[in-house]
Amino acid sequence: MKASKSVSTRSVTTKLVTTASVGALLMGMTAVAQADNWRYAHEEYEGDVQDVFAYAFKEHIEENSDHTVQVYRFGELGESDDIMEQTQNGILQFVNQSPGFTGALIPEAQIFFIPYLLPTDEDTVLEFFEESEAINEMFPELYAEQGLELLQMYPEGEMVITTNEPFTSPEELDNKKIRTMTNPLLTETYDAFGATPTPLPWGEVYGGLQTGIIDGQENPIFWIESGGLYEVSPHLTFTGHGWFTTAMMANQDFYEGLSEEDQELVDEASQVAYDHTIEHIQGLAEESLEKIQEASDEVTVTRLDEEQIQAFRERAPQVEEAFLEMTGEDGEELLEQFKADLEAVTNE
């Protein structure tokens, strides 16, 4: 989803704004220890799921301490891998980044892009995130190897594909240029689905759909609504192939340098934000879809039936094989635990 960035072709103005913003951050870093003003950047717009999480975190910190939290939304400090780099360098204390981008640092994080691995049932997905050993025990170790303290990993919504023409089969996606994040496994997924995966920075997606540079893209419904993507890509298809997942983390040196009291505060705030966000996303997809349908008469909504889904599901094993090739024994161990965790919640 979102702010994909390979070799970005941002405008000069955007570059100047971003450079100035980062420069201001650097100038203010000497005051961080004294002022306890923590900086937190995420990948979305005002009111979107990551923003809801960030502000719940900020509110808890500020209500229960003298610390303040400055939240930066998408584009204010660059795109997704810009804010990750700033977090690793200690310019930011907290960051929210989806595994779609973290996959460059942590190949195992691409597991969320194996199609049809996660169920589509919301309650089952939420229970999985709460109880999964892979999520809550294995992933923090992987993030720690990159100097990151994983505080929460959470789902945002089921992925929906928007296109310039309706489709119900892989054959109808043949040669369709579908925008992807710069994620090798997501590229593999759309290649398996019969499409032509086309990495593109998030800032260029709307224009790319409008001009025909790309024929479609995938995102949760709330993001399709808030980003206005339905205006230029009006055919929405529910394929049931996955959920968008994201993660909130801290610079590990910063986190480990906190007092025990402040560490407990940060842990508690991230749990409060998680609980608030999970409540927020329930019913969000339905509300967003209603807004889209009210705003446009051109929108069509297709929900694939089981037979149609099976044609896509049959292509998933090659993506799983690619994941294992990319990640080796660590990926195999994670995938086995992931599947065991899913089985535990689906068989209850």
Side-chain angles (χ1 to χ4, degrees):
M1 174 183 144
K2 321 193 183 69
S4 170
K5 176 174 176 294
S6 48
V7 179
S8 180
T9 54
R10 298 179 208 137
S11 68
V12 172
T13 302
T14 302
K15 286 181 178 178
L16 288 172
V17 170
T18 301
T19 302
S21 299
V22 174
L25 279 179
L26 287 167
M27 289 178 64
M29 282 183 68
T30 54
V32 170
Q34 298 164 342
D36 294 314
N37 179 42
W38 297 338
R39 298 177 170 91
Y40 179 150
H42 65 74
E43 304 169 309
E44 297 178 354
Y45 298 123
E46 181 177 358
D48 286 339
V49 173
Q50 291 183 23
D51 198 53
V52 168
F53 186 103
Y55 273 86
F57 177 83
K58 168 185 169 72
E59 182 178 332
H60 188 84
I61 293 290
E62 294 181 351
E63 285 182 354
N64 293 278
S65 73
D66 292 330
H67 305 312
T68 56
V69 178
Q70 176 67 45
V71 175
Y72 298 89
R73 298 179 173 121
F74 170 71
E76 293 180 6
L77 298 176
E79 294 210 21
S80 188
D81 52 357
D82 294 316
I83 59 176
M84 173 57 78
E85 183 179 344
Q86 291 159 26
T87 305
Q88 288 186 297
N89 290 336
I91 298 170
L92 294 168
Q93 284 72 51
F94 301 99
V95 68
N96 209 131
Q97 187 186 61
S98 71
F101 301 110
T102 313
L105 287 173
I106 307 168
E108 294 87 351
Q110 297 178 99
I111 195 169
F112 295 101
F113 295 94
I114 298 175
Y116 300 101
L117 184 59
L118 283 172
T120 54
D121 176 68
E122 184 177 85
D123 290 341
T124 306
V125 170
L126 297 181
E127 186 177 358
F128 168 73
F129 274 83
E130 288 278 358
E131 299 185 7
S132 168
E133 183 177 324
I135 297 285
N136 297 301
E137 295 182 26
M138 298 176 76
F139 266 113
E141 295 177 4
L142 293 168
Y143 277 71
E145 291 172 7
Q146 300 300 327
L148 299 164
E149 184 74 25
L150 179 61
L151 295 168
Q152 291 292 343
M153 188 168 268
Y154 59 98
E156 294 194 44
E158 182 183 346
M159 296 302 278
V160 177
I161 302 173
T162 73
T163 48
N164 58 352
E165 296 176 334
F167 72 91
T168 57
S169 69
E171 289 73 22
E172 290 174 335
L173 279 182
D174 187 37
N175 294 323
K176 289 285 187 184
K177 298 185 293 294
I178 304 296
R179 180 264 178 173
T180 63
M181 292 179 282
T182 50
N183 178 296
L185 204 70
L186 189 56
T187 297
E188 190 76 28
T189 293
Y190 276 94
D191 188 54
F193 283 176
T196 301
T198 308
L200 199 66
W202 168 247
E204 299 173 28
V205 172
Y206 189 98
L209 291 165
Q210 193 171 37
T211 58
I213 293 172
I214 50 176
D215 302 309
Q217 60 83 50
E218 67 161 27
N219 262 305
I221 282 287
F222 81 84
W223 187 258
I224 293 167
E225 189 271 322
S226 70
L229 298 178
Y230 64 90
E231 298 167 350
V232 288
S233 188
H235 302 291
L236 281 57
T237 304
F238 288 75
T239 55
H241 71 278
W243 274 66
F244 187 81
T245 299
T246 193
M248 183 264 192
M249 63 210 87
N251 173 287
Q252 196 170 50
D253 288 341
F254 159 76
Y255 180 84
E256 291 180 348
L258 292 174
S259 66
E260 185 176 335
E261 181 183 1
D262 279 347
Q263 283 187 4
E264 289 177 0
L265 174 69
V266 167
D267 293 345
E268 187 178 87
S270 66
Q271 184 61 48
V272 167
Y274 175 91
D275 293 341
H276 176 73
T277 303
I278 292 304
E279 184 177 341
H280 172 76
I281 67 171
Q282 295 180 55
L284 179 62
E286 292 78 6
E287 293 172 16
S288 299
L289 184 57
E290 284 180 13
K291 290 179 182 178
I292 289 171
Q293 291 176 311
E294 288 173 3
S296 173
D297 294 331
E298 296 181 14
V299 167
T300 67
V301 178
T302 303
R303 296 180 187 271
L304 301 188
D305 61 32
E306 279 304 311
E307 184 178 348
Q308 292 166 333
I309 286 174
Q310 185 58 27
F312 286 93
R313 188 183 281 115
E314 287 172 356
R315 297 174 178 230
Q318 72 185 72
V319 184
E320 184 173 308
E321 184 178 334
F323 172 78
L324 294 173
E325 288 175 1
M326 291 175 190
T327 58
E329 291 183 6
D330 287 346
E332 184 176 2
E333 183 182 356
L334 180 67
L335 182 58
E336 287 177 2
Q337 187 61 55
F338 210 90
K339 289 181 175 180
D341 295 341
L342 283 166
E343 188 174 355
V345 297
T346 53
N347 289 340
E348 287 182 353

